[in-house]
Amino acid sequence: MRELELIDCLERVLGAGADGSPPAGAGRIVRWLGDDASVVRSAGYAVTSVDTVVDGVHFRSGELTPAEIGHRAMGSALSDLAAMAARPGEAYLALALAPGTELADAVALIAGAQRLAAAYGVSIAGGDVSASSVLTVTVTVVGWTRDPGDLVGRDGARPGDLVAVTGSLGAAGAGLALLEHRARPNGLTEATVRRLHTRYARPEPRVSAGAALSALGATAMVDLSDGLATDARHLARRSSVTIELDLSALPLAAGVAEVAAQLGIDAASYAATAGEDYELCACLPPSARTMIQSDPSGPAASDRRAGSDTWPGLTWIGRVLEGPGDLRFAGAAGELSGYEHSS
């Protein structure tokens, strides 16, 4: 395909005006596609995250539709903003397309990213297109906050805090196992199989839950992309505390136990290590638990539109102790670890 042809298609997908101007409702965007750079009005403090996914490393294009690939790329990037309790604003999308990529597939990928972005009030403000030996999608997202004190990092957990997770765990890993035929849908309903696939193929960033947890006084927070056993360890190390989690307390998604049994893995251990759930793990003062019990309605319904139990399905799974920056699981037969990035 020709680059200019693709850019023309992208402008239509992203809702450009007849003169190529940003679409209505683009908010802070002054100039966007068609110029050498985007121009965006500031809105306080910018919170920026860059996320890259590569075919064969983070996904396999033969297992997902182009729209699902676009959704996953955008969802994983927006999840970083959710974990910081930042309000999403703009996104920038860079595509490195593999040889032989059809124009329709490239457009479908962008459309998948655009649909999820629009659902969270995010405008795709620009990006780049190039060629590569493998499909590579890089999403840069910019969130905003008026008060940096509202943001939640990984380094604030304190002894005495409680640890909680949103939603349920293990669904994305189980969905991937079914997709790769490492497990079979034996004993699972068609609806459960679809939900497991959706949790892997179309993750939902927990934006409202992140903001609500910040309002509850969350001291440290992380999104569960690499698995609870890896990501909670990040909180422990960055905060220089020991985090103790109860393996039996983990909220398992429907179907996870059946898939884990086929793989010969304890279901709770699988939920702690499989990754890709994009739920939030947060450390909170004990007073937050009392506040939740007195007001169980939780945040806005935007995080529940896909049928998840993100809120009020907050599950208390452990506690923060004094210690050397370590993570331990009560009830585990040995040390657990999720995905580890390596080069």
Side-chain angles (χ1 to χ4, degrees):
M1 74 188 77
R2 293 182 295 110
E3 180 179 5
L4 293 180
E5 180 184 20
L6 177 57
I7 292 174
D8 287 342
C9 288
L10 297 187
E11 288 185 349
R12 290 195 294 272
V13 169
L14 299 179
D19 58 353
S21 60
R28 289 174 297 275
I29 300 177
V30 178
R31 304 192 70 87
W32 74 322
L33 301 182
D35 285 303
D36 288 314
S38 299
V39 180
V40 178
R41 296 185 186 92
S42 65
Y45 294 83
V47 185
T48 306
S49 179
V50 181
D51 204 68
T52 297
V53 294
V54 181
D55 192 0
V57 178
H58 303 92
F59 66 91
R60 291 180 175 82
S61 57
E63 297 173 346
L64 298 174
T65 67
E68 289 172 338
I69 294 170
H71 182 119
R72 271 180 55 82
M74 182 62 67
S76 63
L78 290 177
S79 184
D80 289 336
L81 297 184
M84 296 282 292
R87 176 169 50 88
E90 293 77 44
Y92 302 86
L93 187 60
L95 276 182
L97 300 172
T101 301
E102 298 289 341
L103 176 62
D105 289 341
V107 171
L109 189 156
I110 296 290
Q114 164 69 0
R115 281 192 292 271
L116 182 63
Y120 289 93
V122 173
S123 299
I124 296 179
D128 193 22
V129 177
S130 185
S132 173
S133 58
V134 295
L135 173 63
T136 303
V137 186
T138 297
V139 180
T140 300
V141 288
V142 181
W144 300 92
T145 184
R146 294 289 183 185
D147 182 359
D150 291 337
L151 299 176
V152 183
R154 297 180 177 183
D155 57 353
R158 302 170 300 213
D161 285 346
L162 302 177
V163 184
V165 292
T166 61
S168 57
L169 305 180
L176 178 59
L178 292 171
L179 196 60
E180 294 180 337
H181 304 294
R182 291 183 285 115
R184 301 182 63 82
N186 300 342
L188 301 177
T189 66
E190 290 185 8
T192 297
V193 172
R194 286 195 300 270
R195 282 195 295 269
L196 294 177
H197 176 82
T198 298
R199 284 288 299 274
Y200 171 72
R202 298 179 180 271
E204 292 287 333
R206 304 311 189 192
V207 173
S208 294
L213 289 167
S214 171
L216 284 169
T219 57
M221 190 155 59
V222 67
D223 71 323
L224 301 181
S225 56
D226 296 329
L228 178 66
T230 289
D231 294 318
R233 185 169 279 110
H234 292 320
L235 295 181
R237 290 178 175 174
R238 289 286 294 164
S239 297
S240 298
V241 296
T242 289
I243 291 179
E244 182 181 71
L245 303 181
D246 181 358
L247 196 62
S248 66
L250 301 190
L252 306 186
V256 170
E258 290 84 347
V259 171
Q262 291 188 49
L263 298 174
I265 304 172
D266 169 71
S269 297
Y270 187 67
T273 58
E276 307 275 10
D277 283 313
Y278 293 100
E279 297 292 353
L280 300 178
C281 176
C283 301
L284 299 120
S287 58
R289 190 169 190 171
T290 303
M291 294 171 64
I292 289 174
Q293 290 170 342
S294 63
D295 180 20
S297 58
S302 60
D303 278 350
R304 302 199 302 275
R305 60 192 176 84
S308 78
D309 55 356
T310 297
W311 198 277
L314 191 70
T315 303
W316 302 96
I317 62 170
R319 56 182 180 160
V320 179
L321 307 170
E322 292 186 0
D326 195 14
L327 173 69
R328 62 189 188 215
F329 281 90
E335 184 174 346
L336 300 179
S337 61
Y339 180 78
E340 295 283 352
H341 295 273
S342 61
S343 58

